[in-house]
C-alpha cells in the first residue's frame, strides 16, 4: 500500500512538471502540492544542517574534554553548588550550549547573545516604568510611523460650534474669564451648522450684565459697535481695535509683585474673547493682536511702567500709520499707473482702499467712469457711490444680478480684500468670486488691492469650512407694508443663509497691488516668509 502511495505521488509530480514544461496553467490543488513539497524540502535540508553541526560540536567537545579534565571537574562542582548571585536574564534558545563549549562560540554568536541580553534588560526596565508596549523594534517602528504622520493643527473654536465637547470647553474658558457666552440664533443651514449665527436684536450686553472690573469700557463699546455693524470693514475694525488697546494701555497700572509684560498680556485675553463673542475676529485683526502681544512681551522687566506704556503707544501708532495709512498711499500710487484716460472701472461693495485709489486718481486729472456693483442685504455700494459722487466722479449703480450685462463695456475691475490666504486665494465680501468669474469670461483684467498686514497664513479653497454667518433677519424685506418672511422661523423646512465672505481662486485674479509692489497671488507665501524674518 505504501509503495502504491509513493508511486502515485511521483506520478502526480511528473504530471505537474510535464504541465509546467508545456506551459499549461496549474490548478489550485497542484499549486498547493508544489508549495508543500518545497516546504518539506527546506525542512529536510535544515535537519541535515543541524545534524552536521551537532556532530562537529561533539567531536570538538571530545577533544576539549581530553585536554582539560580537571577543568570539567571544577565546573561540575560549580554547577552543583547553589549560586548566590542571580543569573542574568537571557532569551531561552533551543539546544542551548553547555558551559564546556563556550570557547567554541564564534564572534557572531557572542554578539547575538549580548544583543539578546541587552534587549531583555531594556524590556524589563520599560515594564517597570509601565510602558510595556514600547519594546525593542516595536518602539522604533512606532517612532518612525509617528514621525511620518502629518501634524494636525487644532481648529479654531468659532468653526466647531456643532461639536458639544468644544462648546463645553469654550463655556468653561469664558466662565473663568467672566465673559458671557452668546447663544446662537435661528435655524442654520446644515452645511454651515459649524459656524456661529447671532442676532443683532439681542446683543451680548443685553443678555447678561458684565462687571466693569473685568472688561474695559472702551472694549465694551467697541464690541457693541462690531455686533451692530456700526464699525464694518477690515481696515476700520483693525484701526478701532488698536485705538481701544491704546485706551486700555493708558488706563493700565501694574499690580504689585507683577511684571507688566506678563500681566498686560493676561489682561488682554478676556477682552479678545469678548470681542470674538460679539463678532468673529478678522484676519487683519488677528495680525494686529499678534503684533501688540509681541511688543508687550519684548518689554524688558527693568523698564519703568510709564516708559513701557509710552513705548507701546508709539508702537501701536506706528503700526496704524505704517501698515494702513502709508500702505494705502503706496498702493494708490501703484494703482494710478494702471488707470488710463477713458477707462470704465468696475468696483464692488464699499472698499475704503479702492475708494481712496479712485479719489487719488481723479485728483491727478485722470478721466474715467466708475460702475458701482452692489448686492443685498447690506447694500454697501450705496456708501461708496455717495463718496465718489461727492468728489465729482461719474458713476453708474447696478446690482450684482446685472454684472454680465454691464461687463462688455468695462475695461478694468478693482476689488478690495478681507484677507489674502497663503495658497493665493482671495477672501472678500460675498459676491466677489462671482464678479471675478464673469470678468474672466469676458477677458477683463481683475486687480485686487490689499495691504500686506491682511496676508494670512491660513489655507482655504472653499467658503464652507471657515466663514461668517450674519443675522438672517437682514434678508427680510418689507414692501408696500407687507413682510413676506416675517415668521420664517415657524416654517420647519425654511432656512435663511446670510453669508459674509467668499473665496476667489487665484486663477481669476490677474494682479495683486500691495505697498511692496505688484505681485501675483502665488507670491503670498514669499511675502509671509519675509514678514516673519523681519519680525
Amino acid at each position: 500500500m505504501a509503495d502504491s502511495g509513493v508511486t502515485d505521488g511521483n506520478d502526480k509530480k511528473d504530471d505537474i512538471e510535464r504541465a509546467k514544461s508545456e506551459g499549461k496553467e496549474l490548478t489550485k490543488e497542484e499549486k498547493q502540492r508544489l508549495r508543500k513539497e518545497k516546504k518539506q524540502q527546506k525542512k529536510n535540508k535544515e535537519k541535515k544542517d543541524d545534524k552536521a553541526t551537532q556532530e562537529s560540536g561533539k567531536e570538538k567537545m571530545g577533544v576539549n574534554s581530553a585536554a582539560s579534565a580537571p577543568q570539567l571537574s571544577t565546573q561540575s562542582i560549580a554547577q552543583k553548588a547553589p549560586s548566590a548571585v542571580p543569573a542574568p536574564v537571557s532569551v531561552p534558545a533551543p539546544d542551548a550550549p553547555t558551559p564546556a563549549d563556550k570557547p567554541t562560540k564564534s564572534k557572531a554568536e557572542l554578539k547575538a547573545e549580548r544583543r539578546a541580553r541587552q534587549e531583555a534588560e531594556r524590556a524589563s526596565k520599560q515594564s517597570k516604568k509601565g510602558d510595556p508596549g514600547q519594546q525593542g523594534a516595536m518602539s522604533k517602528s512606532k517612532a518612525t510611523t509617528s514621525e511620518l504622520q502629518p501634524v494636525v493643527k487644532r481648529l479654531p473654536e468659532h468653526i466647531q460650534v456643532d461639536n458639544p465637547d468644544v462648546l463645553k470647553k469654550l463655556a468653561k474658558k469664558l466662565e473663568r474669564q467672566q465673559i458671557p457666552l452668546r447663544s446662537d440664533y435661528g435655524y442654520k443651514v446644515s452645511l454651515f451648522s459649524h459656524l456661529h449665527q447671532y442676532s443683532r436684536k439681542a446683543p451680548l450686553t443685553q443678555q447678561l450684565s458684565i462687571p466693569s472690573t473685568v472688561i474695559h469700557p472702551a472694549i465694551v463699546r467697541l464690541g457693541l459697535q462690531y455686533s451692530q455693524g456700526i464699525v464694518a470693514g477690515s481696515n476700520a475694525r483693525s484701526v478701532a481695535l488698536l485705538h481701544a488697546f491704546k485706551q486700555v494701555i493708558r488706563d493700565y497700572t501694574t499690580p504689585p509683585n507683577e511684571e507688566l509684560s506678563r500681566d498686560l498680556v493676561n489682561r488682554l485675553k478676556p477682552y479678545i474673547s469678548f470681542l470674538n463673542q460679539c463678532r468673529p475676529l478678522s484676519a487683519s485683526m488677528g495680525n494686529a493682536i499678534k503684533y501688540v502681544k509681541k511688543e508687550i512681551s519684548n518689554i524688558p522687566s527693568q523698564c519703568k511702567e510709564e516708559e513701557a506704556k509710552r513705548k507701546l503707544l508709539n508702537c501701536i501708532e506706528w503700526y496704524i500709520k505704517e501698515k494702513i495709512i502709508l500702505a494705502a498711499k503706496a498702493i494708490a500710487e501703484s494703482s494710478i499707473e494702471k488707470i488710463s484716460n477713458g477707462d470704465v472701472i468696475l468696483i464692488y461693495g464699499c472698499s475704503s482702499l479702492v475708494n481712496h485709489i479712485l479719489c487719488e486718481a481723479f485728483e491727478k486729472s485722470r478721466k474715467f467712469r466708475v460702475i458701482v456693483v452692489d448686492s443685498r442685504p447690506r447694500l454697501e455700494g450705496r456708501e461708496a457711490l455717495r463718496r465718489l459722487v461727492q468728489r465729482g466722479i461719474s458713476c453708474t449703480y447696478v446690482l450684482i444680478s446685472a454684472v454680465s450685462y454691464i461687463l462688455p463695456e468695462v475695461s478694468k475691475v478693482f476689488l478690495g480684500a478681507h484677507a489674502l490666504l497663503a495658497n493665493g486665494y482671495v477672501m472678500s465680501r460675498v459676491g466677489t468670486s462671482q464678479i471675478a468669474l464673469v470678468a474672466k469670461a469676458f477677458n477683463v483684467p481683475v486687480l485686487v488691492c490689499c495691504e500686506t498686514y491682511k496676508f494670512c497664513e491660513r489655507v482655504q479653497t472653499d467658503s464652507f469650512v471657515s466663514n461668517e454667518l450674519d443675522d438672517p433677519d437682514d434678508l427680510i424685506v418689507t414692501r408696500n407694508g407687507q413682510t413676506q418672511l416675517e415668521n420664517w422661523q415657524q416654517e420647519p423646512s425654511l432656512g435663511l443663509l446670510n453669508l459674509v465672505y467668499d473665496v476667489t481662486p487665484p486663477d481669476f485674479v490677474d494682479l495683486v497691488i500691495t505697498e511692496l509692489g505688484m505681485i501675483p497671488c502665488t507670491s503670498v507665501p514669499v511675502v509671509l516668509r519675509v514678514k516673519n524674518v523681519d519680525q
Side-chain angles (χ1 to χ4, degrees):
M1 292 292 287
D3 293 335
S4 64
V6 172
T7 53
D8 289 340
N10 292 332
D11 292 339
K12 286 178 182 177
K13 194 189 288 186
D14 294 337
D15 292 339
I16 291 166
E17 288 174 358
R18 200 179 301 113
K20 282 176 76 176
S21 62
E22 288 174 3
K24 292 180 182 178
E25 289 185 0
L26 301 176
T27 61
K28 287 184 179 179
E29 293 177 359
E30 291 172 346
K31 287 179 181 176
Q32 286 177 358
R33 202 175 291 113
L34 273 174
R35 287 196 204 101
K36 285 180 182 178
E37 286 171 2
K38 285 179 181 177
K39 284 180 183 177
Q40 194 63 36
Q41 286 174 4
K42 282 184 181 177
K43 284 180 183 178
N44 294 336
K45 206 172 190 180
E46 286 172 0
K47 282 180 182 178
K48 286 178 182 178
D49 294 341
D50 291 338
K51 283 181 182 178
T53 51
Q54 284 175 8
E55 286 172 4
S56 62
K58 283 178 183 177
E59 288 173 5
K60 288 178 182 178
M61 280 171 62
V63 174
N64 292 334
S65 59
S68 55
Q71 287 181 7
L72 281 170
S73 61
T74 54
Q75 284 172 2
S76 62
I77 292 162
Q79 280 179 358
K80 288 177 184 177
S83 58
V85 182
V89 181
S90 62
V91 179
D95 301 331
T98 57
D101 57 7
K102 271 183 187 174
T104 63
K105 288 183 182 178
S106 63
K107 287 184 180 179
E109 288 173 342
L110 290 169
K111 195 182 286 183
E113 275 189 9
R114 203 180 305 120
R115 194 180 294 115
R117 203 178 297 117
Q118 287 173 356
E119 290 290 338
E121 287 173 3
R122 196 179 296 118
S124 63
K125 283 180 185 177
Q126 286 179 353
S127 62
K128 284 177 186 177
K129 288 178 184 176
D131 229 353
Q134 298 177 348
Q135 294 179 4
M138 288 292 288
S139 64
K140 290 179 183 177
S141 63
K142 284 183 181 178
T144 51
T145 51
S146 63
E147 286 171 5
L148 291 171
Q149 286 176 354
V151 179
V152 180
K153 291 189 177 180
R154 187 175 64 86
L155 289 171
E157 293 162 347
H158 67 274
I159 62 169
Q160 295 188 80
V161 180
D162 55 347
N163 190 338
D165 296 334
V166 174
L167 277 180
K168 281 181 185 177
K169 286 180 184 177
L170 177 63
K172 285 181 182 178
K173 175 187 167 185
L174 294 174
E175 191 179 350
R176 284 197 305 271
Q177 295 177 345
Q178 300 180 31
I179 305 294
L181 178 65
R182 195 174 181 185
S183 56
D184 278 0
Y185 170 71
Y187 170 78
K188 287 189 283 189
V189 179
S190 58
L191 268 175
F192 299 95
S193 60
H194 60 283
L195 301 173
H196 283 291
Q197 183 172 272
Y198 302 131
S199 172
R200 288 202 183 88
K201 293 175 185 174
L204 197 56
T205 50
Q206 285 183 6
Q207 291 176 356
L208 291 169
S209 60
I210 301 169
S212 59
T213 54
V214 175
I215 302 173
H216 194 278
I219 301 294
V220 175
R221 184 172 62 250
L222 180 64
L224 286 171
Q225 288 173 344
Y226 284 166
S227 62
Q228 295 298 317
I230 298 166
V231 177
S234 295
N235 286 340
R237 288 170 69 192
S238 300
V239 171
L241 175 74
L242 291 169
H243 281 305
F245 279 172
K246 282 174 71 177
Q247 189 61 44
V248 168
I249 291 166
R250 286 193 198 98
D251 299 339
Y252 171 80
T253 51
T254 310
N257 303 323
E258 289 285 349
E259 283 186 18
L260 181 141
S261 58
R262 289 184 180 180
D263 186 65
L264 187 53
V265 170
N266 293 331
R267 188 75 63 88
L268 290 179
K269 284 178 182 176
Y271 299 167
I272 295 162
S273 298
F274 173 75
L275 293 174
N276 202 24
Q277 285 291 299
C278 293
R279 186 182 172 185
L281 302 177
S282 65
S284 56
M285 290 168 68
N287 289 337
I289 290 166
K290 280 181 190 173
Y291 171 78
V292 172
K293 282 184 175 179
K294 182 179 73 70
E295 291 299 326
I296 292 169
S297 59
N298 286 343
I299 291 173
S301 56
Q302 64 271 16
C303 187
K304 292 182 180 178
E305 184 179 322
E306 291 301 320
E307 186 184 349
K309 285 162 72 173
R310 189 172 64 252
K311 278 183 181 178
L312 287 174
L313 293 173
N314 290 337
C315 287
I316 292 173
E317 199 60 45
W318 174 87
Y319 190 88
I320 295 170
K321 186 179 179 184
E322 189 79 16
K323 300 289 182 180
I324 301 172
I325 299 170
L326 293 178
K329 289 181 178 178
I331 292 168
E333 288 179 4
S334 300
S335 303
I336 289 168
E337 297 174 7
K338 296 292 179 183
I339 298 174
S340 308
N341 289 329
D343 272 350
V344 178
I345 297 169
L346 185 142
I347 66 170
Y348 176 63
C350 183
S351 168
S352 58
L353 181 59
V354 172
N355 291 341
H356 175 71
I357 290 166
L358 296 176
C359 292
E360 287 288 318
F362 186 74
E363 284 178 3
K364 294 192 174 181
S365 64
R366 296 286 168 92
K367 295 178 182 179
F368 57 90
R369 185 163 63 88
V370 177
I371 297 173
V372 181
V373 181
D374 207 356
S375 64
R376 291 188 57 245
R378 293 204 171 200
L379 297 172
E380 294 173 323
R382 293 179 180 180
E383 178 60 25
L385 185 69
R386 186 185 62 79
R387 294 180 188 178
L388 295 174
V389 169
Q390 276 184 349
R391 292 293 187 101
I393 300 171
S394 175
C395 296
T396 305
Y397 181 79
V398 297
L399 288 177
I400 195 167
S401 53
V403 165
S404 58
Y405 298 100
I406 206 80
L407 258 169
E409 62 183 88
V410 173
S411 54
K412 291 178 184 71
V413 176
F414 276 82
L415 298 172
H418 167 75
L420 231 71
L421 307 179
N423 56 344
Y425 280 66
V426 179
M427 196 173 191
S428 192
R429 172 68 58 201
V430 66
T432 305
S433 60
Q434 184 182 346
I435 289 171
L437 172 65
V438 180
K440 186 76 174 176
F442 282 91
N443 289 324
V444 178
V446 177
L447 311 178
V448 173
C449 306
C450 182
E451 302 93 337
T452 53
Y453 88 102
K454 292 181 185 176
F455 284 24
C456 176
E457 292 183 355
R458 193 168 74 235
V459 172
Q460 198 173 324
T461 56
D462 58 64
S463 306
F464 299 106
V465 176
S466 182
N467 208 322
E468 187 180 338
L469 299 181
D470 213 344
D471 189 355
D473 288 338
D474 291 348
L475 299 174
I476 299 170
V477 179
T478 303
R479 287 178 181 169
N480 301 325
Q482 292 184 351
T483 307
Q484 301 294 336
L485 297 171
E486 190 172 3
N487 300 317
W488 68 274
Q489 291 190 22
Q490 296 175 7
E491 295 290 334
S493 59
L494 177 63
L496 302 185
L497 177 64
N498 189 6
L499 272 178
V500 178
Y501 303 112
D502 68 9
V503 171
T504 306
D507 299 338
F508 299 156
V509 178
D510 293 280
L511 199 64
V512 178
I513 306 174
T514 68
E515 68 266 29
L516 301 178
M518 301 181 192
I519 60 171
C521 289
T522 50
S523 296
V524 174
V526 180
V527 176
L528 288 170
R529 205 178 303 125
V530 170
K531 280 173 69 178
N532 291 334
V533 169
D534 291 342
Q535 290 175 2

